[in-house]
Amino acid sequence: MATTGTPTDITQGSRTRGGIGESTLRPDGTLKVTGEFAYSSDMWHEDMLWGHTLRSTVAHAEIRSIDTAEALATPGVYAVLTYDDLPTDVKRYGLEFQDTPVLAHGKVRHHGEPVAIVAADHPETARRAAAKIRIDYADLPVVTDEASATAEGAPLVHEHRDDHHADHVSHPNIVHRQPIVRGDAAGAAERADVIVSGEYVFGMQDQAFLGPESGLAVPGEDGGVDLYVATQWLHSDLRQIAPVLGLPEDKVRMTLSGVGGAFGGREDLSMQIHACLLALRTGKPVKIVYNRFESFFGHVHRHPAKLWYEHGATRDGKLTHMKCRIVLDGGAYASASPAVVGNASSLSVGPYVVEDVDIEALALYTNNPPCGAMRGFGAVQACFAYEAQMDKLAAELGMDPVEFRRLNAMEQGTLLPTGQRVDSPAPVAELLRRVKARPMPPERQWLAAGEAADVRALPGGLSNTTHGEGVVRGVGYAVGIKNVGFSEGFDDYSTARVRMEVINGEPVATVHTAMAEVGQGGVTVHAQIARTELGVAQVTIQPADTRVGSAGSTSASRQTYVTGGAVKNTCEHVREKVLEMGRVKFGTYHPAWATAELLLESGKVVTDGGEVLADLVDVLEGESVDLELEWRHRPTQAFDLRTGQGNGHVQYSFAAHRAVVEVDTELGLVKVVELAVAQDVGKALNPLSVLGQIQGGTTQGLGVAVMEEILVDPKTAKVRNPSFTDYLIPTILDTPTIPVDVLELADEHAPYGLRGIGEAPTLSSTPAVLAAIRNATGLELNRTPVRPEHLTGT
Amino acid sequence: MRVNFTVNGRPQEADDVWEGESLLYVLRERMGLPGSKNACEQGECGSCTVRLDGLPVCACLVAAGQVEGRDVVTVEGLADFAKQRAEHGGCGPSGSAGTDGTSDPTGSATCGTSLQGAQRWQAKGTDSQTGEGGDLSPIQQAFIDAGAVQCGFCTPGLLVTADEMLERNPSPSDADIREALSGNLCRCTGYEKILDAVRLAAARQSEEV
């Protein structure tokens, strides 16, 4: 049916439904609630084998010999592989340094390092065969902290470093060091009326995503391999996997299977190469699924940190200077440590104006478990320390802690210690004002009128350890700053392919990216962007795989910004092509076709005044438009290695928290009563998903405040609690109500004005809870997580 | 060994089961029902919660041999199960049900599914390849509507647990909901939207009565 060309229909406000700004529902929601969504651990293939990884039982040791004969002779076992079986000269991989062995060779550097892999016809057969592998270890001394790692004659974790940071560090056990010097901290200190300093300790947190590392590798007839896996960045995995297998990248075909959470823990490889090696060796599909115990060894953790801070302030509450030293324990392999160092140092001042700073951040190589990316990425540890300092300063000056922060809050135009100007809204004072203005939760909620205490509302809960005696309340505040996107000059691009065509008489857009959907809701937002830009109701989201260009990592709060930006950009180009087709077909019918301001809305070509020019169905008629384009945000610069100066960051994100806690001072039990948040999101593309991100991030911050810590034996460097029995994450009983206040102050540099939001709530949540516990108990509490013995002095 | 039991209303038979296999492994790897999830296999996270003769249990802690002759409902059968319950009269508000959290496995509880009831239950066919064919149960729909699903790995276990709780306690307080779901870990949501979803399902349920 051809359009007549005369305007037939003046549509007012015909905005396409399901576009940005609406809380459209997840496209994968139905499959997820019916149990039919295929996660990486759900993969199945006829005739498949099960892979199992044998991991070191010691932290640092020479491997004298490995005997696999008995394991190989086990009925049902198809392959047992060690370092000697690796097919090429590329035997190491890594995100930044290629320092991680695919399988240990010569020595192991941390507890739980992969040494051998087994494929068998039943997972238990594979486990038992692995247990028969005999490894002769000769223990080596371990280094576990800065003192032991940099001591005279300390054993080197990596004797032969060939990475790009090797030449500028003062010791081979330092992965990377980033100083930042601006102004004159020593001189400014002389103007200070009060100076406070502190040493802070941040424990080792785990991402503890619920879907364990898993996947399926299927050997192809062309000698290649198909890999179905849960990851945060398909193309980064591919870049590391293919050289080890000795295959060109187009013969390692990766498809994202369902991801059960990530939080940074899937940036590094886990079972990917192992599954491919076993599949190529046996000629059969191989599935590997870690159990929870192994998962604690299968991915990196959040860097534990020691932080030394000094701040000064004048009597009227203005910060004079800041000096800090941040030491991050990177464990045995580099993972993302260099970038974490850059983040920790450049954001170490927090969202405050301080012109005179002397900053140093570094990451160590030790024999502890490797640490790398986790939600908040270096900014979390810094925020814990600088927020404790703000409270100390306010107390020293006799000021209200929120008022003191607001006096020193950064704004748009403030310079970071790197010399970079913050060129988008920075509503730090406003966020604090909002959490403070919120009404307080009622006191003593366990006492309903005239009834016995409901112990479920008390610290200790159903353990029935108190009916309110010994319980005190405290309130604490914190605010933080997080960068968005990959920094320091990294080429942080994404790719989107968009096709537009008519299917069954309806215009349909198909969006194909390699973005890892890890639960954040990117797939929801991509469909919303396509509806908004192309005016179609029907959007198909193709599964993520490596047949389309890289989308970069689902991390750094970047994916809605960067891959969302890529989808928007490709849609805009598709729209131009569609309009061009329209002009060719119908341009003579209406003068408005010659204007530039035409839109696609609700399946029609309309003027910006809402006048309908044509139906998309008629414009496209049997043809399709199909484009794949890369998109980049503004470029960034590396930080100067000596001074730390440089425009290193893309964007910032801000959140503030108010925590209200009740503490049973007799037993040291903490109940968080409420954790209120205010966050600027720039533009909420999907308000419901925004709330989910903010509440989820807040809860992970709560976890590391009061319970989450991987405990490593300082003598042996062995992990003591690799299970959900002993590594505790917050349950629904531990998690309070989390009211959220969302600000939308557009960042003009970002698509739709949006800000990346995933990490900011994880920063300030922890120090707010700590501040509230300090407020309740009067204790200093310079480490996190806080355990009962810290509160009872036992 | 061979194990015979009923899954989602259908009699099933699993052959060559090694004695050390869990019910979770049999469901996921031998029956093609991967909806029950494998997040910890230590009974700590609730991701594998199924109903065994009506009671919510962690399938990872049930040895396969223990389910011989018994009745299992997984998330894949939840929609049908809820539909049948609605058709045969749901559980009305009752004075004793809800907060005590106890349930009599012999089926004499005033509320909940009796063993006999569970054994008589038959699933209607659904096309499990596409996820189409069956309507969702109220709790499943509420999870989608409230935004309680992010990565979704905890969702099946939470749904089975929450559905059973609403069967016992149709108008739960927030404290009741938190107590009932305290064995189900979620790492993505901060639980707020999960609470919203259970409240939503309860509210919709009470509107229908």
Side-chain angles (χ1 to χ4, degrees), chain B residues 22-203:
Chain B
S22 65
L23 169 60
L24 179 64
Y25 183 87
V26 171
L27 289 170
R28 288 177 54 79
E29 305 296 340
R30 297 189 180 279
M31 307 236 149
L33 292 169
S36 310
K37 286 287 167 276
N38 56 316
C40 80
E41 295 170 81
Q42 299 169 318
E44 294 285 354
C45 76
S47 306
C48 63
T49 306
V50 300
R51 292 182 73 165
L52 180 59
D53 291 343
L55 292 179
V57 297
C58 287
C60 69
L61 297 184
V62 177
Q66 287 179 282
V67 299
E68 177 66 31
R70 296 170 76 181
D71 186 275
V72 174
V73 179
T74 71
V75 68
E76 288 96 338
L78 191 62
D80 271 337
F81 184 83
K83 203 168 180 178
Q84 298 231 352
R85 179 176 55 208
E87 284 165 5
H88 298 118
C91 173
S94 87
S96 65
T99 50
D100 65 343
T102 55
S103 179
D104 182 346
T106 61
S108 62
T110 54
C111 201
T113 307
S114 70
L115 173 55
Q116 293 84 348
Q119 284 169 339
R120 283 195 302 272
W121 177 67
Q122 286 288 320
K124 296 198 173 53
T126 61
D127 179 359
S128 67
Q129 296 308 303
T130 61
E132 293 164 5
D135 292 337
L136 299 178
S137 67
I139 191 72
Q140 287 169 317
Q141 191 59 53
F143 263 62
I144 295 175
D145 294 346
V149 180
Q150 288 186 29
C151 92
F153 213 78
C154 68
T155 304
L158 274 161
L159 287 167
V160 173
T161 308
D163 181 72
E164 193 273 344
M165 180 205 66
L166 287 171
E167 193 180 281
R168 279 187 290 113
N169 181 4
S171 53
S173 68
D174 281 5
D176 294 341
I177 298 172
R178 287 183 192 273
E179 192 180 330
L181 302 187
S182 61
N184 293 80
L185 295 175
C186 167
R187 193 56 161 164
C188 293
T189 64
Y191 301 106
E192 283 281 79
K193 299 295 162 206
I194 291 168
L195 275 165
D196 283 350
V198 179
R199 293 181 194 124
L200 182 64

Side-chain angles (χ1 to χ4, degrees), chain A residues 549-565:
Chain A
S550 173
S553 179
T554 300
S555 59
S557 309
R558 69 180 278 286
Q559 212 47 297
T560 300
Y561 187 129
V562 191
T563 301

Side-chain angles (χ1 to χ4, degrees), chain A residues 25-26 28-37 39 41-44 48 50 121-124 127-128 205-212 214 259-261 263 287 289-293 374-375 454 456 462 517-520 688-689 691-693 695-697 699-700 703 708 722-727 729-739, chain B residues 16-18 20-21 25 28-30 33-42 44-45 47 75-79 99 126-132 134-136 139-141 143-156 158-159 173-196 199:
Chain A
L25 299 176
R26 298 185 66 97
D28 54 11
T30 301
L31 289 175
K32 284 180 173 177
V33 299
T34 54
E36 286 160 313
F37 186 77
Y39 292 89
S41 53
D42 301 335
M43 300 287 128
W44 185 89
M48 84 183 182
W50 289 79
D121 57 8
H122 190 286
E124 186 62 22
R127 268 194 292 274
R128 291 181 181 196
Q205 189 181 15
D206 189 75
Q207 298 84 355
F209 42 71
L210 284 195
S214 46
V259 184
F263 317 116
K287 174 173 172 172
V289 181
Y290 292 177
N291 63 16
R292 181 54 51 183
F293 175 89
M374 184 177 167
R375 195 176 197 166
D454 183 348
R456 295 180 297 183
L462 287 165
E517 169 61 49
V518 301
Q520 82 278 20
L688 188 63
S689 299
L691 293 180
Q693 281 298 306
Q695 288 163 339
T699 305
Q700 290 183 352
E708 293 186 38
S723 75
F724 277 172
T725 309
D726 298 312
Y727 183 92
I729 66 174
T731 69
I732 195 167
L733 285 175
D734 303 310
T735 309
T737 177
I738 307 172
Chain B
D16 304 325
V17 176
W18 170 61
E21 283 175 21
Y25 183 87
R28 288 177 54 79
E29 305 296 340
R30 297 189 180 279
L33 292 169
S36 310
K37 286 287 167 276
N38 56 316
C40 80
E41 295 170 81
Q42 299 169 318
E44 294 285 354
C45 76
S47 306
V75 68
E76 288 96 338
L78 191 62
T99 50
T126 61
D127 179 359
S128 67
Q129 296 308 303
T130 61
E132 293 164 5
D135 292 337
L136 299 178
I139 191 72
Q140 287 169 317
Q141 191 59 53
F143 263 62
I144 295 175
D145 294 346
V149 180
Q150 288 186 29
C151 92
F153 213 78
C154 68
T155 304
L158 274 161
L159 287 167
S173 68
D174 281 5
D176 294 341
I177 298 172
R178 287 183 192 273
E179 192 180 330
L181 302 187
S182 61
N184 293 80
L185 295 175
C186 167
R187 193 56 161 164
C188 293
T189 64
Y191 301 106
E192 283 281 79
K193 299 295 162 206
I194 291 168
L195 275 165
D196 283 350
R199 293 181 194 124

